[in-house]
Amino acid sequence: MPLGRTNQANEAEQPPGSSRLLIRAAHSDDLDALTALVNLPGFRAGTLRLPYQRAEVTRRWLENPDTEGLNIVALRDGELIGQAGFERYRGRRAHVAYIGIGVHDDHHGTGVGTALLGELVDAADNWFGLKRLELTVYADNAAAIALYRKFGFEPEGLLRAFAFRAGAYVDALTMARLRA
């Protein structure tokens, strides 16, 4: 699902009257905005992150990217509102990457996740030559599961008591997408 292309960034198609969504590579200037994003309660609830991530943790992640992976961000009207990426495995699993994606609490349901995942899938298929994309999603995250299904991800297993979140153990699904 490739989106409109430019040299350095991609602008996703938006409904009439809405502002443009810009998808581009994450870079060091995103430090403060990314740190704020990953500390939002809704964003964090869908991940394995602990509360109150320090800027130093974000800085290390930005300064030491996986050279076999991809890290992108989504901006609307100059505000960083989403982040996604994948890390490619090595050796006998070099045909596989593990993806992660998150959207700002105030921008769920606005097409940001669809645009980010579309770019990841396009890059995986057409630039990295990946056969398999994998992810883990909390079993109670119906919106994320629906998004992943839209892009061809299928559940492969249930991980019981997968993580401790907000005072309780929660289950997760493993999902994968295989390119034909």
Side-chain angles (χ1 to χ4, degrees):
M1 177 179 226
L3 303 173
R5 302 275 180 222
T6 64
N7 286 342
Q8 293 293 321
N10 304 321
E11 292 190 47
E13 295 292 323
Q14 293 297 303
S18 69
S19 56
R20 301 292 289 178
L21 183 65
L22 177 71
I23 306 290
R24 65 161 171 76
H27 53 68
S28 59
D29 291 346
D30 297 324
L31 174 65
D32 292 336
L34 273 171
T35 302
L37 179 69
V38 302
N39 280 302
L40 291 171
F43 186 101
R44 183 179 60 243
T47 73
L48 290 173
R49 296 177 190 278
L50 295 172
Y52 309 110
Q53 179 171 308
R54 295 183 341 261
E56 182 57 34
V57 174
T58 308
R59 177 180 292 109
R60 280 195 308 267
W61 176 79
L62 282 168
E63 291 175 351
N64 299 298
D66 178 359
T67 57
E68 295 293 319
L70 180 67
N71 289 306
I72 58 177
V73 294
L75 295 99
R76 183 170 283 144
D77 299 326
E79 178 187 6
L80 196 146
I81 59 170
Q83 182 275 326
F86 61 71
E87 293 184 20
R88 185 177 197 161
Y89 294 111
R90 289 166 178 69
R92 292 172 50 183
R93 296 208 70 218
H95 64 292
V96 182
Y98 184 86
I99 74 162
I101 184 170
V103 174
H104 190 290
D105 295 12
D106 295 337
H107 294 270
H108 289 186
T110 65
V112 177
T114 298
L116 286 167
L117 189 54
E119 289 297 320
L120 290 182
V121 168
D122 178 61
D125 289 354
N126 298 310
W127 295 97
F128 288 78
L130 295 171
K131 173 77 173 171
R132 177 181 169 90
L133 292 176
E134 301 175 340
L135 61 88
T136 304
V137 59
Y138 290 122
D140 61 359
N141 192 342
I145 293 167
L147 173 64
Y148 300 139
R149 284 183 181 276
K150 185 166 85 169
F151 281 88
F153 286 82
E154 297 178 10
E156 293 189 330
L158 176 67
L159 303 168
R160 296 178 307 160
F162 175 73
F164 193 69
R165 181 186 70 190
Y169 290 100
V170 292
D171 296 343
L173 297 176
T174 59
M175 297 182 78
R177 174 190 177 271
L178 294 174
R179 187 171 53 115

